[in-house]
Amino acid sequence: MHLKCEGLNLTGSVKIKAAAEMVDAAERSALLQPGGRIVESSSGSLGVALAMISADRGYDFTCVTDSRCNERNLRLMRVYGADVVVIEEPDPVEGLLGARLRYVADLCAREPDVLWLNQYANDSNWLAHYKTTGPSIAKACPDAEMVFIGAGTTGTLTGCARYLKQVGHPAKIIAVDSVGSVTFGGPPGPRHIPGLGTGQRPEIVDESVIDEIIMVPEADTIRMCRTMAGRGYLFGGSTGTVLAGMMHRISMERADMPVVAISPDLGERYLDSIYDDEWVKDRFDLGGGTAQITRRQVAVPVTDGQGGI
């Protein structure tokens, strides 16, 4: 098994790739001018990446997040000079994400000079991984039989999957999502851990390049993160979800199967949540054993995965 640790990137997560690509594209198209202002909805990691890039390039940045964003990410964004808006009340139908997006839309209507990058629909989000993450996996692990990728905005998932399918890589693409997310048509439900999962289906998701989907309850995310910490590996919630889904899936296969999993984040920013006993006790019942992890194959025929490139 190979674990691609994207938490070792600058700003501590995989999101720096999408952030840089989206800002670069906006600059190339002249949508973003010197001294301009950016707004984005983020559960935390993309907000930190955009805050750093904005500080470096001289842009004002407003991050619209919600009450699930951990304290360290909030502080990092503010240290970089970002204006951070924390949404506390969810939309009755579309949850906290819907409330965040409504706030962004209202802000853009009031102030038309503000640029919303919109990671949920921005092709530069997945193109970042088509250009970088996908080729890196193909080069390092040409014989991998499965690649496990978490589904948040689905930028990493869509970009990597399209690249690997287009070049004829043999691996099955396994999307890993959180129970309560609606991305792949499941019922909405409460989610306490930021990162994977959405309250609205992202426009950039492409199920035609996904072979299987695994839905992981957050209780299993907690168990996995704590199990790995006990072995000396401190990972974030998104990584815990991916690893829980991967371990469930490969238990059905031969022990020596070569697989790759993408680890989006490390665990230092989760010390006050996933790794805090009281936080976990208030939200989860971990005494009942492993919850049901569900798996389904995707019925959509696989295309060439070019995605309009």
Side-chain angles (χ1 to χ4, degrees), residues 67-71 191-194 218-219 221-222 225-226 237 269-286:
S67 53
R68 294 171 299 182
C69 183
N70 64 61
E71 183 62 29
R191 290 177 291 110
H192 302 285
I193 303 172
E218 287 189 325
T221 297
I222 300 290
C225 286
R226 289 176 164 231
R269 298 178 192 179
Y270 296 85
L271 294 178
D272 295 329
S273 55
I274 289 172
Y275 297 102
D276 182 83
D277 290 344
E278 289 302 314
W279 187 93
V280 172
K281 182 179 178 181
D282 288 344
R283 292 162 178 82
F284 300 98
D285 177 10
L286 300 184

Side-chain angles (χ1 to χ4, degrees), residues 59-76:
Y59 301 123
D60 291 330
F61 173 54
T62 297
C63 180
V64 182
T65 188
D66 61 55
S67 53
R68 294 171 299 182
C69 183
N70 64 61
E71 183 62 29
R72 185 166 180 183
N73 279 340
L74 292 173
R75 293 178 66 183
L76 282 169

Side-chain angles (χ1 to χ4, degrees), residues 121-179:
N122 192 325
D123 284 335
S124 293
N125 184 352
W126 67 263
L127 276 167
H129 302 283
Y130 183 93
K131 293 177 178 179
T132 60
T133 317
S136 178
I137 291 171
K139 181 178 180 181
C141 304
D143 299 324
E145 296 183 30
M146 292 183 179
V147 177
F148 293 84
I149 310 172
T153 64
T154 72
T156 308
L157 173 63
T158 296
C160 289
R162 282 179 169 168
Y163 179 84
L164 293 172
K165 294 296 184 184
Q166 185 173 358
V167 301
H169 194 281
K172 286 184 177 181
I173 304 299
I174 316 295
V176 185
D177 199 5
S178 295
V179 170

